[in-house]
């Protein structure tokens, strides 16, 4: 009987010793795993440390803030694109198809261009402040209704600003924007500026008639949109010394021609150049420094 008890106690003791050895061996294996797997070890250390860390909340950095800089205003050059009609019936160099226009705006978006209104162009040319790395301004002459039916949806698609130069006496006439369309577009990132009242070539008119063209257009647009009208685009790009005098007298701050080139201060604020957009042109011209 005593022998049986002794054997039983001995068996329990042996099992206990074996279990203790297995636990010790498991700890060694676990240590070896962490030594051979630094990532696992780092995760454990981070878990231990993170319990004592208080994280600070940061506002997200805006990309625009990183892409702007200040320059000497005389060195600022901005491509101001000159469009007219966006239409599937592209029958001359003033008409671009919606498909091509979409590709052009997508190219601008994909290549990091920042669209500007013309008051922003004026500010940048006169102050040199907050210049995007790749500025661009889109303008449309005359106010064709296809600017609403074809160009407007594409501009909204890519969230691009633009400016339409309106002939105020023609508003609501056949193939020209009406007041309802103008107001809708103005509420959605499309600005409107003057292309005179009746689109007469200004350089052949006497001074007083030129002034009347500019004043009537400015007043009509100001009343329609309840805003200041500061930009004038000369019909067919024609102007003379009286035109510039009339633009200043009428209260315009900036004037655009059809001469080719990037807008810059040395051209004169009332005789700024633009980049004519025509079917089949390459967009790489916008990277030039002219």
């Amino acid at each position: 009987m005593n022998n049986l008890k002794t054997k039983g106690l001995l068996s329990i003791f042996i099992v206990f010793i074996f279990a203790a050895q297995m636990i010790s061996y498991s700890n060694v294996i676990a240590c070896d795993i962490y030594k051979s797997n630094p990532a696992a070890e780092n995760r454990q250390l981070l878990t231990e440390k993170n319990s004592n860390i208080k994280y600070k909340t940061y506002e997200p950095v805006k990309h625009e803030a990183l892409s702007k800089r200040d320059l000497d205003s005389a060195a600022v050059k901005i491509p101001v694109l000159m469009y007219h009609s966006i239409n599937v019936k592209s029958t001359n160099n003033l008409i671009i198809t919606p498909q091509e226009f979409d590709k052009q705006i997508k190219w601008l978006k994909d290549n990091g261009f920042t669209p500007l209104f013309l008051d922003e162009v004026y500010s940048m040319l006169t102050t040199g402040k907050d210049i995007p790395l790749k500025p661009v301004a889109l303008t449309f002459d005359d106010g064709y209704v296809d600017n609403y039916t074809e160009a407007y949806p594409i501009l909204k698609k890519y969230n691009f600003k633009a400016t339409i130069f309106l002939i105020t006496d023609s508003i609501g006439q056949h193939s020209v924007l009406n007041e309802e369309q103008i107001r809708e577009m103005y509420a959605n990132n499309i600005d409107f500026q003057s292309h005179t009242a009746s689109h007469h070539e200004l350089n052949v008119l006497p001074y007083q008639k030129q002034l009347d063209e500019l004043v009537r257009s400015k007043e009509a647009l100001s009343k329609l949109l309840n805003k200041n009208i500061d930009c004038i685009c000369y019909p067919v790009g024609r102007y003379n010394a009286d035109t510039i005098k009339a633009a200043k007298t009428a209260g315009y701050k900036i004037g655009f021609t059809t001469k080719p080139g990037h807008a810059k201060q040395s051209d004169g604020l009332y005789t700024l150049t633009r980049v004519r957009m025509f079917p089949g042109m390459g967009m790489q011209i916008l990277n030039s420094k002219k």
Side-chain angles (χ1 to χ4, degrees):
M1 187 72 175
N2 289 334
N3 286 338
L4 289 174
K5 289 181 178 180
T6 300
K7 288 180 179 180
L9 290 172
L10 182 60
S11 297
I12 291 171
F13 180 73
I14 291 172
V15 169
F16 177 79
I17 293 298
F18 178 77
Q21 288 177 338
M22 289 300 295
I23 291 171
S24 177
Y25 179 69
S26 297
N27 288 337
V28 171
I29 292 175
C31 289
D32 287 342
I33 289 174
Y34 272 112
K35 287 178 182 178
S36 63
N37 187 353
E41 184 177 13
N42 289 339
R43 283 196 297 272
Q44 182 182 13
L45 292 174
L46 286 172
T47 300
E48 294 171 355
K49 290 180 180 180
N50 285 349
S51 61
N52 298 319
I53 292 176
K54 293 182 178 179
Y55 290 98
K56 184 177 180 180
T57 301
Y58 292 94
E59 291 295 326
V61 177
K62 293 183 178 180
H63 178 71
E64 284 189 2
L66 297 177
S67 63
K68 292 183 178 181
R69 74 279 197 214
D70 293 346
L71 300 173
D72 180 348
S73 59
V76 177
K77 296 180 181 179
I78 300 174
V80 178
L81 312 189
M82 177 176 57
Y83 289 97
H84 285 78
S85 175
I86 308 299
N87 199 299
V88 291
K89 297 179 180 179
S90 181
T91 56
N92 59 52
N93 281 340
L94 296 181
I95 303 175
I96 292 177
T97 66
Q99 293 77 14
E100 184 170 6
F101 182 68
D102 188 293
K103 290 178 181 178
Q104 291 177 348
I105 304 305
K106 184 179 187 301
W107 186 92
L108 292 171
K109 185 83 170 181
D110 291 347
N111 283 274
F113 281 83
T114 300
L116 305 172
F117 287 132
L118 297 183
D119 59 343
E120 295 174 299
V121 172
Y122 172 79
S123 176
M124 292 174 190
L125 291 179
T126 55
T127 69
K129 302 294 184 182
D130 296 326
I131 313 298
L133 290 179
K134 292 184 175 182
V136 69
L138 278 64
T139 64
F140 295 78
D141 291 9
D142 305 330
Y144 294 106
V145 72
D146 60 39
N147 292 177
Y148 176 83
T149 59
E150 304 294 348
Y152 178 44
I154 294 170
L155 292 168
K156 287 196 296 183
K157 174 182 175 181
Y158 294 105
N159 194 28
F160 253 59
K161 303 174 180 177
T163 299
I164 297 176
F165 289 118
L166 284 173
I167 306 164
T168 53
D169 286 354
S170 299
I171 291 174
Q173 294 182 10
H174 176 68
S175 76
V176 178
L177 294 166
N178 62 40
E179 291 187 358
E180 183 179 352
Q181 292 166 333
I182 291 168
R183 289 194 182 97
E184 179 189 334
M185 296 172 80
Y186 180 60
N188 290 279
N189 244 13
I190 309 299
D191 194 22
F192 292 88
Q193 297 291 339
S194 173
H195 201 28
T196 73
S198 62
H199 205 256
H200 279 299
E201 294 182 23
L202 295 173
N203 63 317
V204 300
L205 298 178
Y207 171 76
Q208 199 57 45
K209 286 190 176 294
Q210 290 195 50
L211 181 61
D212 179 68
E213 283 281 336
L214 302 186
V215 169
R216 284 200 298 117
S217 176
K218 183 180 176 71
E219 290 178 348
L221 278 177
S222 181
K223 181 180 179 180
L224 176 61
L225 298 174
N226 192 30
K227 63 173 295 241
N228 290 329
I229 304 301
D230 297 321
C231 306
I232 176 68
C233 172
Y234 311 124
V236 202
R238 305 288 174 78
Y239 66 94
N240 57 21
D242 278 347
T243 310
I244 296 171
K245 178 182 176 182
K248 292 178 179 179
T249 301
Y252 293 97
K253 294 181 179 179
I254 193 170
F256 289 90
T257 71
T258 58
K259 291 181 178 179
H262 288 45
K264 53 188 181 297
Q265 191 184 101
S266 61
D267 292 330
L269 292 178
Y270 290 91
T271 51
L272 293 171
T273 57
R274 292 186 289 169
V275 178
R276 183 185 292 274
M277 305 301 289
F278 54 86
M281 72 175 291
M283 298 298 284
Q284 288 76 12
I285 190 174
L286 301 185
N287 291 321
S288 73
K289 301 299 180 181
K290 295 182 180 180

